[in-house]
Amino acid sequence: MNAIIFSAILGVVLMFSGIFFTNKATVRNIANVGMLLLLVANLFEQNGHHLFHINTNNLLHFTKFGLVFNSIAIGCTLVYMLLSGRDIEKVGVNVAEYFSLIFFVLCGVAIVSSFNSLLMLFLGIEIISIPLYILTGSDKRNLKSNEAALKYFLMGSFSTGIMLMGITLIYGAKASFSLEGMNPAVHHERDLWFTSGLLLLLISMSFKVSAVPFHFWTPDVYDGAPTVFTSFMATIVKAGAFIGFVRLFSNVFTESDYNWKLVLAIIIAATLFIGNITAVFQQSVKRMLAYSSIAQAGFMLFALYSANGLSQDGIILYTLGYSLATIGIFAVLIKMKDYTFEGFNGLARSQPLLAATTTVSLLSLAGIPLTIGFFAKYFMLASAIRSGGSLWLVVFAVLCAVISVYYYFRVIQAMYFKEGNPEIEPVTPAFRWILVAVAATVVILGVFPNLILQFLYF
C-alpha cells in the first residue's frame, strides 16, 4: 500500500510543481528525490513496516513477491530517470507533467502487482495505459509521435474492451470478481462462459505484453514515441504488465490443463520466432530493440507456462535483468544522432566507456554467461522442464536465443570492428558513472543471482 499511496501523492505533487518551478532542472531533482522516497517507502513495507493500514476488502493482496517486484520497478525507474532525466527535459515544455505521469504509471504497476480482484486489475491496467498514451504523443511537432500515440490509443482501447468483455463473462459464470473464484481448487467445473472469459483475458493481456499474434502495434509505437519514453515503455511498463499477467493466470492454469498449456506453448513459440526473425532484418537499432522486446516477451511467457516456484524466481530475475540492460542501451541510443547500425560504427574508439557498457547490456539480453540475462533465461527454461513441459519448446527457445545473438552482436561488431565517426551528444561524468554502475550490477547479479532472490524468502 505504501507504493500505491506514495506514488499517487508524488504524482500530484510533481503535477503542481510545474506551477511553482519554471527551472526544468529543479523539477527533475524533485522527481529524483521523490522516486528515492518512494523506493524507501516500499522497502519499509517489504520489511514489514506498513505506514498505512487501509481495509481494501480483499480487493488487494500484498505478497512478498509483489513487494519485491515493486522495489525492482521503482529502482529501475530511478536508474532510468538518473540516466535519461535530462533527455526528458528536451521533449517539450511540460516537464513536470511528464515526471508526474511516470509516477502515476508506477501507481498502476503497484496495483497490478497486488490485485486480488479483476476490477482492480482493470483499474491498474488503465492507470498504466492512459499516461503512456500521453507520453507517446508528447512530441507534438513530430508526426510519427502523433501517429504512434493514436495507434497506441486505438489498440489499447480495443484490448481494454476485450478485457472488460472477459471480466463480464467470468463474473456471469462465477458471480465473483475475486481471483479465488477462478481457482480450479475452489471451482472444479468450468463452463463455456468462464472459459470464454479466460480466453478474452488471455488475448487482452497478450496485447499488453506484445505477445504474438497481438504484437503488431509494438514496433510502430516504440519507433514513433520519443526515444526517452520508449525506454520506459519497453522495460518497467512491460515488466509490470507481465507481473499482472502471471498473477492473473497462476491461479488458473494447472499442470492438468493440457489444452491451456498447448495454447500457451503455441503463443510462446510464435512470439520467440516472429520477434527474433523480424529483428534480424531491421536496419535501425531502435526498431531492432522493439522486435527484440517481443522476443524477450516470449521468454517471460514461460513464467505463465510453468507456474511454479522456479518460474517465480525466474520472472523476478528476468524483469530486473531485462529492464537494467534495456535502460542502459536506450540511454546510449538517446545520445546518438543516427539510430542505424552504421551509426554505431567506431563508437569503441571515440567513446570506449559507452561502448563497453552497451556491450555488457547486449550480452545480457543475449543470455551470455556471467550476466544476469543468462540466469534469467536459465531459470525460465528450467522451470518449464520441472513442470513437465514440452521438451521441443525448450529446445526451440534455445535456438531462438542463438538467433538473437546475431542481431545483438551486429551492434558490438559495428562498435569495435568497423570504421566510423559516430555523432553523439555530450555526456556528463555522472552519466558515465551511472552507466558503469548499471553494467557492474548486470555482471554481479549474473554471478550471484541470489542477491536478489533472497528477498523473496527472507
Side-chain angles (χ1 to χ4, degrees):
M1 185 58 78
N2 291 1
I4 297 173
I5 300 290
F6 269 88
S7 57
I9 293 173
L10 288 166
V12 174
V13 169
L14 261 296
M15 191 164 59
F16 285 101
S17 68
I19 300 173
F20 303 103
F21 302 102
T22 54
N23 190 318
K24 293 180 178 179
T26 305
V27 174
R28 170 165 50 85
N29 291 331
I30 293 173
N32 288 339
V33 172
M35 195 59 68
L36 188 60
L37 289 175
L38 180 58
L39 179 60
V40 171
N42 190 73
L43 287 174
F44 261 74
E45 187 165 19
Q46 192 178 310
N47 290 286
H49 303 290
H50 306 283
L51 301 180
F52 304 96
H53 296 279
I54 299 173
N55 182 9
T56 63
N57 290 315
N58 208 29
L59 293 174
L60 297 171
H61 180 59
F62 299 98
T63 62
K64 200 69 176 272
F65 176 74
L67 292 173
V68 169
F69 173 73
N70 287 347
S71 295
I72 290 172
I74 297 166
C76 288
T77 307
L78 180 60
V79 172
Y80 158 75
M81 284 170 43
L82 290 173
L83 279 172
S84 306
R86 293 175 186 272
D87 298 293
I88 293 176
E89 296 174 10
K90 299 173 185 174
V91 175
V93 295
N94 305 310
V95 179
E97 284 79 358
Y98 300 152
F99 284 112
S100 172
L101 291 171
I102 289 171
F103 277 99
F104 288 139
V105 169
L106 285 181
C107 181
V109 168
I111 292 174
V112 165
S113 70
S114 56
F115 76 94
N116 201 39
S117 161
L118 295 179
L119 291 180
M120 295 308 293
L121 171 66
F122 171 73
L123 191 64
I125 290 291
E126 286 307 290
I127 292 175
I128 292 173
S129 301
I130 293 172
L132 287 180
Y133 303 148
I134 302 169
L135 291 175
T136 303
S138 54
D139 189 0
K140 296 177 184 175
R141 293 163 296 184
N142 187 336
L143 190 60
K144 282 182 68 176
S145 176
N146 293 330
E147 180 187 341
L150 180 62
K151 185 175 287 187
Y152 197 14
F153 171 72
L154 292 175
M155 296 311 303
S157 302
F158 181 62
S159 67
T160 297
I162 293 175
M163 175 181 284
L164 277 177
M165 179 59 76
I167 291 173
T168 304
L169 291 178
I170 290 173
Y171 183 78
K174 300 297 180 187
S176 171
F177 291 116
S178 171
L179 283 187
E180 294 169 359
M182 300 169 62
N183 193 331
V186 178
H187 297 281
H188 297 284
E189 295 182 1
R190 289 178 176 171
D191 57 30
L192 176 63
W193 298 118
F194 181 73
T195 305
S196 302
L198 275 185
L199 186 62
L200 291 177
L201 281 182
L202 181 66
I203 292 171
S204 173
M205 293 303 290
S206 296
F207 263 109
K208 300 297 182 187
V209 300
S210 311
V212 173
F214 313 106
H215 67 291
F216 42 84
W217 59 272
T218 310
D220 292 340
V221 171
Y222 281 15
D223 194 30
T227 307
V228 67
F229 294 133
T230 304
S231 173
F232 183 60
M233 291 161 58
T235 53
I236 293 102
V237 175
K238 192 184 193 73
F242 250 106
I243 292 300
F245 205 171
V246 171
R247 188 169 169 74
L248 176 63
F249 285 107
S250 61
N251 283 348
V252 181
F253 296 142
T254 66
E255 293 183 1
S256 60
D257 287 328
Y258 176 77
N259 292 331
W260 283 111
K261 278 212 162 190
L262 183 61
V263 172
L264 271 176
I266 293 171
I267 292 176
I268 291 171
T271 305
L272 288 169
F273 182 75
I274 299 293
N276 281 297
I277 292 298
T278 46
V280 166
F281 296 102
Q282 300 306 308
Q283 300 304 317
S284 160
V285 174
K286 190 178 179 183
R287 281 188 76 85
M288 179 274 282
L289 290 173
Y291 279 106
S292 86
S293 79
I294 295 171
Q296 299 286 349
F299 266 99
M300 285 191 262
L301 281 170
F302 272 105
L304 245 74
Y305 181 80
S306 307
N308 54 31
L310 204 55
S311 68
Q312 180 175 281
D313 295 350
I315 194 68
I316 287 291
L317 273 181
Y318 214 108
T319 52
L320 177 60
Y322 169 71
S323 297
L324 283 179
T326 308
I327 287 170
I329 293 171
F330 268 101
V332 175
L333 185 67
I334 293 166
K335 302 296 183 187
M336 307 290 291
K337 297 287 179 65
D338 183 359
Y339 289 170
T340 64
F341 284 89
E342 288 72 23
F344 281 77
N345 287 353
L347 184 67
R349 291 183 182 81
S350 59
Q351 298 285 346
L353 190 62
L354 298 192
T357 54
T358 302
T359 301
V360 171
S361 296
L362 289 168
L363 293 177
S364 182
L365 288 177
I368 302 299
L370 297 181
T371 63
I372 187 174
F374 169 75
F375 272 111
K377 285 184 169 58
Y378 169 78
F379 270 69
M380 287 300 179
L381 299 180
S383 69
I385 294 172
R386 178 177 290 184
S387 70
S390 303
L391 189 60
W392 69 266
L393 185 61
V394 175
V395 173
F396 186 76
V398 172
L399 292 176
C400 287
V402 173
I403 294 172
S404 74
V405 171
Y406 169 76
Y407 54 78
Y408 289 133
F409 271 65
R410 275 186 70 191
V411 183
I412 298 174
Q413 182 193 28
M415 291 189 296
Y416 284 94
F417 301 108
K418 290 192 175 180
E419 297 290 339
N421 187 24
E423 295 183 62
I424 187 167
E425 295 180 9
V427 295
T428 63
F431 178 86
R432 295 175 190 273
W433 281 112
I434 296 169
L435 268 185
V436 170
V438 170
T441 306
V442 167
V443 173
I444 291 170
L445 292 177
V447 180
F448 306 106
N450 282 336
L451 290 176
I452 286 297
L453 296 179
Q454 65 180 348
F455 290 109
L456 286 173
Y457 305 105
F458 295 101

